[in-house]
Amino acid sequence: MSTQQELDNVVSFYDDQVTLYAEQEIQTVTLKALLGFGRTKAAAATAGAKAKVDDNNHHHHHCQQELEVNLEMARYARKELPVRLARRVKSIQNLPFIIGTNPYIKRVYRLYYDAFQALTAFQEDIQGKEDLDRIAEVLRGLVESHADVIPMLSQGFLECKKYMDTADIQTFLDEMIRSRIGIRLIAEQVIALRAQTAELLKDNGEEEDKVSSKVNNGASNNTVATVEQGSPSQVIGVVHTQLRLAELVKDCASFVQELCNVNYGSSPDVVINGQTDATFTYVPVHLEYILCELLKNSLRATVEHSAKIGRSVPHKATGFFETEEEGSTTAPSVKAEVRQVSQKEGEPSPPLIGGPVVMKEKDGEELDITKRLNEFGHPPVEVTIAQSEHEITIRIRDQGGGVCKEDLDHIFDYSFTTVKDENESSAESLSDNGVGVGVGSGGGRNESESIFKGVSRLAMQAGLGGPIAGLGFGLPLTRIYAQYFGGRMHLVSLQGHGVDVYLKLKQLEHVEDLQI
């Protein structure tokens, strides 16, 4: 770090403006109000589209109404976010000095202070579209620059955890992450609403041109342009009001399967069953993170436990896992010809929606698809969806050996991980739930492949915007995301067999008093 940057850090520490903002009360907004910004916009857009063919002036009135909705949200963000950012700056300043000098923690501090300065420097009163565009770009820069905050925090506290009491670390990080979720939600809502409104205005303009063209070409005065008669938009900013859960699970499972296949050479199948037609209101990006993290744990544990108990063995040439020869103790697997979805050789089956599915074995006996092994010797990971009036329940069940008793009380602690440093052992890897297996012990696994695995893991972290393995933030962060909108997460471990994770999420349209 340059001398000027060090000086800037000192100056920021004594910035009275930070203290002034940090002492202000947070002006929370209910989720209902946050959705109300978008619902007003959607209703106005629909009404405007209908009205414009009868009354062009009325159409322009509704366009202005849409803009006002976005301006109202932007004004709230401009006033509220500096207060929240200032509080995070002060919280980092209040850490023990030795922790504050950690390079990762210093980078996080600098990001929050720079974001605070950028928003307080935006002195213009947000009055029109140009002001909205400028504040949206400032917020976009904030969101993009803060993408790596969680990995930086996790690495920083992994290096500094001996200098601070575990309970104090837990409290600090809980507050930091909850605040981060709220800050990003408000910022991304402004960005998304602005983009959606711009698209609606563009579509309205094109439709208006069509109507004008018809009039200019001598079309009958009785001619009325066709306007799509549908419900308001299903996407309100960052919130999706008709989110198809099974499809989202399928996408997340496919993504994690590919990454698992890259790291281990094989992957369990994923079976999605229960109420697979369920839809509900939620923030998709939050649920994607939760699902990817939980599925990652289940798939990793399943592959590693398969090798540990002999369900699969490393291939002699590659070190990757393959099913043992017929006649071994490995349970029979369903052959490739009975798969419902075709795939290339060596690739995992795409997630299967529906079920439980009963399939016929060669001897005519029926076999539940949730119990059979695939060609790699791995039992499937089962995702079950249940919907009630006010909540959605997702159960993720694996046969990855479970969590050992010694680790069970610590799996939600920050920076707790059983994954060894890759420099410590290039021949052994442990999953997040404490089940170990010698992944790198097979013939053909060399140093370059160990490096490849490390690069792949970093790519996984970048893709999800959070830690995948080895930093110890996965489950704690997942639980906070689940709890943020009034949900909860519960883990049941059957040591020696597997884990059931129950994720219960509120239907957001029924959580009217939730404060952001």
Side-chain angles (χ1 to χ4, degrees):
M1 182 178 290
S2 68
T3 304
Q4 182 60 46
Q5 288 174 318
E6 292 285 0
L7 181 61
D8 290 343
N9 283 341
V10 173
V11 172
S12 70
F13 195 88
Y14 296 101
D15 190 338
D16 290 337
Q17 191 179 30
V18 172
T19 303
L20 180 65
Y21 273 87
E23 290 174 349
Q24 296 180 26
E25 290 295 324
I26 288 178
Q27 302 298 317
T28 58
V29 60
T30 64
L31 182 65
K32 182 179 180 180
L34 199 66
L35 289 175
F37 288 126
R39 286 204 169 103
T40 302
K41 170 192 71 64
T46 302
K50 294 176 181 178
K52 68 185 176 186
V53 295
D54 298 323
D55 187 345
N56 199 40
N57 291 329
H58 196 188
H59 160 63
H60 287 299
H61 168 75
H62 282 292
C63 287
Q64 185 61 35
Q65 186 177 359
E66 293 171 19
L67 179 60
E68 282 300 323
V69 168
N70 285 269
L71 292 173
E72 183 182 356
M73 183 67 206
R75 292 182 193 117
Y76 169 75
R78 165 62 185 83
K79 181 180 179 181
E80 178 63 19
L81 291 185
V83 177
R84 301 191 183 205
L85 290 166
R87 289 191 169 203
R88 292 308 99 213
V89 170
K90 295 298 289 187
S91 70
I92 298 175
Q93 290 178 353
N94 291 331
L95 288 171
F97 177 79
I98 194 169
I99 295 180
T101 60
N102 178 274
Y104 294 100
I105 304 301
K106 287 172 73 173
R107 286 171 63 191
V108 172
Y109 172 79
R110 193 73 222 180
L111 283 170
Y112 274 86
Y113 182 72
D114 289 347
F116 169 79
Q117 283 193 312
L119 283 174
T120 53
F122 194 92
Q123 298 294 340
E124 301 94 332
D125 189 14
I126 303 173
Q127 294 292 340
K129 183 178 181 300
E130 294 76 14
D131 296 334
L132 176 63
D133 291 343
R134 282 197 293 271
I135 189 67
E137 286 307 310
V138 171
L139 294 175
R140 186 186 304 279
L142 184 156
V143 169
E144 291 175 354
S145 65
H146 285 229
D148 294 328
V149 161
I150 296 300
M152 284 191 286
L153 277 176
S154 60
Q155 187 62 44
F157 277 95
L158 190 63
E159 296 177 359
C160 298
K161 60 182 179 181
K162 64 181 178 181
Y163 302 119
M164 193 171 176
D165 182 74
T166 301
D168 292 337
I169 292 177
Q170 190 89 16
T171 300
F172 172 84
L173 289 174
D174 280 352
E175 293 177 353
M176 192 79 177
I177 292 171
R178 287 194 182 99
S179 174
R180 169 184 162 82
I181 293 173
I183 289 170
R184 288 181 67 92
L185 191 63
I186 293 170
E188 289 175 342
Q189 186 74 349
V190 173
I191 297 167
L193 286 177
R194 175 220 182 193
Q196 291 166 12
T197 296
E199 188 64 28
L200 283 171
L201 291 173
K202 177 183 176 183
D203 292 344
N204 286 344
E206 291 175 352
E207 186 65 30
E208 186 177 42
D209 289 342
K210 292 179 182 178
V211 175
S212 177
S213 176
K214 288 183 178 181
V215 172
N216 292 334
N217 290 330
S220 169
N221 290 336
N222 295 325
T223 301
V224 178
T226 303
V227 178
E228 183 177 353
Q229 302 293 327
S231 60
S233 174
Q234 295 180 350
V235 180
I236 304 173
V238 295
V239 180
H240 200 303
T241 62
Q242 293 292 322
L243 185 61
R244 295 181 60 84
L245 184 53
E247 291 297 328
L248 184 61
V249 173
K250 180 181 178 182
D251 291 341
C252 293
S254 295
F255 176 65
V256 176
Q257 278 182 310
E258 290 178 8
L259 297 174
C260 188
N261 201 43
V262 167
N263 277 272
Y264 299 107
S266 64
S267 173
D269 295 343
V270 177
V271 176
I272 306 167
N273 55 27
Q275 293 173 260
T276 56
D277 58 347
T279 62
F280 77 129
T281 301
Y282 212 74
V283 180
V285 68
H286 288 190
L287 190 51
E288 283 176 13
Y289 177 82
I290 294 172
L291 290 172
C292 284
E293 181 63 31
L294 295 178
L295 287 168
K296 177 269 302 180
N297 287 343
S298 289
L299 267 63
R300 293 184 74 239
T302 300
V303 172
E304 295 177 351
H305 193 58
S306 290
K308 182 178 181 180
I309 67 174
R311 285 190 303 225
S312 60
V313 295
H315 190 280
K316 293 179 181 179
T318 65
F320 289 159
F321 296 126
E322 65 175 6
T323 307
E324 295 185 76
E325 296 294 328
E326 290 187 10
S328 69
T329 57
T330 302
S333 63
V334 177
K335 303 303 180 182
E337 59 265 22
V338 300
R339 291 190 175 279
Q340 294 193 9
V341 183
S342 63
Q343 76 227 51
K344 296 180 181 179
E345 185 177 356
E347 290 185 353
S349 295
L352 177 63
I353 298 180
V357 179
V358 175
M359 307 188 78
K360 294 286 187 179
E361 284 288 279
K362 287 184 177 181
D363 56 7
E365 294 182 3
E366 291 185 346
L367 180 66
D368 189 334
I369 194 172
T370 61
K371 295 182 173 62
R372 55 97 173 173
L373 308 184
N374 65 5
E375 69 266 35
F376 301 108
H378 308 313
V381 171
E382 182 183 2
V383 182
T384 303
I385 299 169
Q387 183 176 35
S388 62
E389 182 180 358
H390 296 295
E391 74 176 10
I392 286 274
T393 301
I394 305 169
R395 183 190 67 192
I396 300 179
R397 167 173 289 176
D398 67 62
Q399 298 178 49
V403 183
C404 64
K405 185 178 180 181
E406 293 76 15
D407 294 339
L408 195 56
D409 293 334
H410 301 286
I411 57 175
F412 290 105
D413 293 346
Y414 291 105
S415 297
F416 172 78
T417 178
T418 57
V419 179
K420 291 184 178 180
D421 190 298
E422 290 175 353
N423 294 325
E424 178 183 329
S425 173
S426 62
E428 185 175 19
S429 174
L430 294 176
S431 70
D432 283 349
N433 63 9
V435 180
V437 61
V439 176
S441 59
R445 279 292 208 193
N446 53 35
E447 184 178 357
S448 65
E449 287 171 325
S450 177
I451 293 172
F452 171 73
K453 181 181 175 183
V455 171
S456 175
R457 193 175 74 182
L458 290 175
M460 292 164 74
Q461 290 176 206
L464 294 180
I468 285 296
L471 297 179
F473 267 45
L475 284 176
L477 190 59
T478 299
R479 185 166 66 173
I480 286 183
Y481 269 106
Q483 292 172 343
Y484 192 81
F485 290 125
R488 56 196 187 278
M489 190 175 78
H490 179 59
L491 185 148
V492 178
S493 175
L494 283 70
Q495 190 173 355
H497 178 73
V499 167
D500 283 5
V501 177
Y502 293 87
L503 180 64
K504 293 183 178 290
L505 304 173
K506 297 288 186 182
Q507 297 262 23
L508 294 190
E509 64 266 33
H510 299 305
V511 191
E512 297 185 356
D513 58 345
L514 183 64
Q515 302 289 319
I516 304 300

